[in-house]
């Protein structure tokens, strides 16, 4: 019989969202009249921008004619899209990033996992706690960790706890770490990193020969002009950071699928024989071998994000969600609940009142207000005592949920 990748058996059962579903279903069955509002989703709710739809419709028509039909595109993505991204997302912010360093993909989630293909198996890996679970689980699958411990952490990973006490920014480690996952603006905490904080990480990475894996999926939600959108706004980051970006949250592409990864040509890693090897050709080889590119139609839709209309329409989408976030923050604060995030990110990170556990607060909110959110403890042990509320929803749902909380909730 074939053997399996035993690392998969180390994975904790996907616990968080099934458990939320179980509790919500049980409540709904017992109270069929309850109108439950879900503010727990990490998915967008508003339709695709008109400019993106128009570009994709035109691309579909091109595919229907022999002269304009497209077969396989470049594995790295079409140059016209990579050049727009380089100019608008990076060079316009003073980042020295060239189109040839940008790889188009069908998602940041897969890129975050796939990037491990080009790294060795003996690296020391650090993640924040709480954390986006993809970073952890992909390292478990790749055999980079030991078994899971009682507290839900994996042996061999370094967890950097983030909480209100450190403004949800991880302290720079004292030990040597090779790969560091950072996500700003952060899912789940909604926190952002100042220029100084990112500079401290870049300086650390340059001093230790580390690589920062920087997830900027929510950069478009930054409203504060002093907060960097890209790690490459920090001097030296070209020599120590890979950045992941996605059209999922800024342009509503969660179901359309387009993202990008930046691998600067100046990045290097050490080979077994001690020589220094560039990472860019490795990722290029990895993508060319295992990936055949994103559809022409979808890349045309992504390109439209950079047109005048596309920029205005994506800005309006983001403003819509950020107004939801403002309503959530203000109403919860008025209800006497301490909130964080939600200013430069579509997530509000709630401190559970009266020392309630994340799950006790979940149950109370469900039973008293019929509102569903996400228990912070589901994102890591240090998320205990916190709760995530998402701004991805209709205005009517957000307003109704907040009205119920201000009227009915008492901790
Ligand atoms: C939504 C999200 C992404 C984007 O993933 P896609 O695969 O591009 O849809 C990446 N990172 C984080 C932390 C996210 O929440």
């Amino acid at each position: 019989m074939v053997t399996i990748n035993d690392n998969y058996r180390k994975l904790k059962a996907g616990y968080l969202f099934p458990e939320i579903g179980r509790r919500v279903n049980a409540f709904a069955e017992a109270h069929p009249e309850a109108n439950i509002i879900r503010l727990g989703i990490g998915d967008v709710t508003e339709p695709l921008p008109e400019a993106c739809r128009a570009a994709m419709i035109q691309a579909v028509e091109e595919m229907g004619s022999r002269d304009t039909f497209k077969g396989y595109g470049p594995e790295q993505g079409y140059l016209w899209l990579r050049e727009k991204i380089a100019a608008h997302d990076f060079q316009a912010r003073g980042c020295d990033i060239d189109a040839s360093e940008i790889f188009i993909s069908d998602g940041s989630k897969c890129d975050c996992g796939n990037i491990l293909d080009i790294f060795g198996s003996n690296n020391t890996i650090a993640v924040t706690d709480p954390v986006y679970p993809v970073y952890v689980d992909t390292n478990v699958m790749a055999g980079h960790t030991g078994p899971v411990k009682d507290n839900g952490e994996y042996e061999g990973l370094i967890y950097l706890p983030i909480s209100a006490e450190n403004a949800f920014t991880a302290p720079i480690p004292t030990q040597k770490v090779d790969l560091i996952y950072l996500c700003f603006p952060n899912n789940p905490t909604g926190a952002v990193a100042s220029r100084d904080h990112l500079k401290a990480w870049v300086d650390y990475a340059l001093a230790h020969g580390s690589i920062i894996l920087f997830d900027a999926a929510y950069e478009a939600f930054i409203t504060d002009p002093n907060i960097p959108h890209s790690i490459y706004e920090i001097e030296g980051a070209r020599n120590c950071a890979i950045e992941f970006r996605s059209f999922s949250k800024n342009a509503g592409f969660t179901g359309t699928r387009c993202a990008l990864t930046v691998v600067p040509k100046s990045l290097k890693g050490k080979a077994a024989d001690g020589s220094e090897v560039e990472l860019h050709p490795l990722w290029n080889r990895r993508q060319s071998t295992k990936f055949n590119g994103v559809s022409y139609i979808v890349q045309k839709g992504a390109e439209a994000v950079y047109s005048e209309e596309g920029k205005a329409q994506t800005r309006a989408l983001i403003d819509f969600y950020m107004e939801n976030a403002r309503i959530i923050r203000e109403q919860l604060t008025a209800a006497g609940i301490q909130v964080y995030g939600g200013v430069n990110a579509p997530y509000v990170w709630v401190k559970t009142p009266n020392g309630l556990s994340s799950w006790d607060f979940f149950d109370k909110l469900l039973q008293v207000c019929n509102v569903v959110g996400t228990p912070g403890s589901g994102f890591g042990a240090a998320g205990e005592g916190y709760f995530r509320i998402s701004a991805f929803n209709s205005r009517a749902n957000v307003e109704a949920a907040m009205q119920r909380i201000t009227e009915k909730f008492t901790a």
Side-chain angles (χ1 to χ4, degrees):
M1 195 177 277
V2 296
T3 60
I4 60 150
N5 178 351
D6 265 292
N7 296 310
Y8 279 63
R9 305 189 76 195
K10 294 182 200 159
L11 292 165
K12 278 178 294 178
Y15 166 74
L16 178 62
F17 290 98
E19 178 62 16
I20 291 173
R22 199 188 62 73
R23 293 189 190 206
V24 172
N25 290 341
F27 181 79
E29 260 173 45
H31 304 87
E33 75 297 342
N35 170 17
I36 297 171
I37 301 178
R38 289 174 167 80
L39 295 181
I41 352 169
D43 194 0
V44 297
T45 54
E46 302 306 299
L48 282 178
E50 159 68 21
C52 301
R53 294 202 307 271
M56 286 193 275
I57 289 167
Q58 196 193 324
V60 169
E61 292 303 333
E62 286 176 46
M63 295 299 259
S65 163
R66 185 173 298 278
D67 336 324
T68 47
F69 170 78
K70 303 277 186 301
Y72 289 125
E75 290 97 344
Q76 302 79 2
Y78 284 102
L79 198 55
W80 37 259
L81 176 56
R82 302 162 83 198
E83 280 174 344
K84 290 245 162 58
I85 293 167
H88 291 259
D89 286 338
F90 295 103
Q91 291 154 11
R93 292 193 177 276
C95 306
D96 176 20
I97 293 297
D98 186 74
S100 63
E101 299 174 310
I102 295 169
F103 294 82
I104 308 299
S105 79
D106 59 356
S108 276
K109 183 176 176 174
C110 40
D111 284 355
C112 286
N114 292 338
I115 198 74
L116 295 175
D117 275 13
I118 67 167
F119 293 106
S121 49
N122 301 327
N123 293 309
T124 313
I125 296 157
V127 295
T128 62
D129 175 11
V131 68
Y132 180 53
V134 174
Y135 314 147
V136 173
D137 288 0
T138 52
N139 274 291
V140 176
M141 291 171 173
H144 295 169
T145 74
V148 71
K149 299 186 278 189
D150 287 341
N151 66 358
E153 296 183 348
Y154 288 91
E155 269 172 32
L157 281 187
I158 294 178
Y159 291 85
L160 309 170
I162 52 175
S163 65
E165 284 68 49
N166 54 26
F168 302 99
T169 49
I172 308 296
T174 43
Q175 72 271 53
K176 180 176 178 296
V177 170
D178 300 305
L179 286 175
I180 303 139
Y181 289 86
L182 294 179
C183 175
F184 290 116
N186 189 258
N187 176 11
T189 67
V192 286
S194 68
R195 190 170 295 276
D196 284 349
H197 182 68
L198 290 184
K199 184 177 182 314
W201 273 115
V202 167
D203 290 348
Y204 172 91
L206 292 173
H208 294 87
S210 325
I211 296 283
I212 297 169
L213 300 171
F214 192 77
D215 186 342
Y218 295 97
E219 62 77 30
F221 294 83
I222 294 173
T223 51
D224 181 341
N226 296 316
I227 301 294
H229 288 237
S230 167
I231 187 97
Y232 305 116
E233 290 179 54
I234 310 301
E235 203 187 328
R238 267 191 65 81
N239 297 319
C240 66
I242 289 173
E243 183 164 305
F244 303 96
R245 287 208 180 189
S246 174
F247 294 94
S248 282
K249 311 295 164 42
N250 66 339
F253 272 46
T254 53
T256 305
R257 312 305 303 144
C258 198
L260 58 116
T261 290
V262 185
V263 184
K265 291 183 174 160
S266 35
L267 291 180
K268 289 190 178 130
K270 200 164 64 171
D273 65 5
S275 60
E276 288 190 357
V277 175
E278 291 180 7
L279 299 185
H280 183 278
L282 300 186
W283 183 244
N284 190 46
R285 184 64 196 263
R286 191 266 168 217
Q287 290 297 82
S288 311
T289 303
K290 295 196 184 182
F291 185 58
N292 252 337
V294 176
S295 90
Y296 173 73
I297 298 160
V298 168
Q299 291 191 64
K300 275 291 170 186
E303 185 194 26
V305 167
Y306 300 97
S307 66
E308 283 311 310
E309 314 81 72
K311 279 187 180 176
Q313 290 159 11
T314 48
R315 174 48 39 207
L317 260 184
I318 290 160
D319 289 348
F320 172 80
Y321 292 126
M322 291 313 290
E323 176 64 8
N324 283 349
R326 189 190 64 78
I327 293 167
I328 294 167
R329 270 190 302 112
E330 289 190 0
Q331 297 292 309
L332 292 181
T333 306
I337 296 172
Q338 172 80 54
V339 299
Y340 301 93
V343 179
N344 296 289
Y347 297 116
V348 177
W349 191 239
V350 173
K351 180 85 194 98
T352 60
N354 286 357
L356 287 177
S357 76
S358 296
W359 279 111
D360 285 347
F361 184 68
F362 174 93
D363 288 336
K364 208 153 190 187
L365 211 55
L366 176 61
Q367 284 154 19
V368 177
C369 306
N370 306 340
V371 171
V372 179
T374 316
S377 54
F379 298 99
E384 180 56 88
Y386 292 93
F387 195 79
R388 191 188 76 174
I389 293 189
S390 163
F392 291 128
N393 219 311
S394 67
R395 183 63 43 78
N397 273 351
V398 167
E399 284 176 342
M402 291 306 123
Q403 193 181 353
R404 289 185 200 168
I405 294 174
T406 44
E407 283 173 4
K408 297 187 183 165
F409 189 82
T410 42

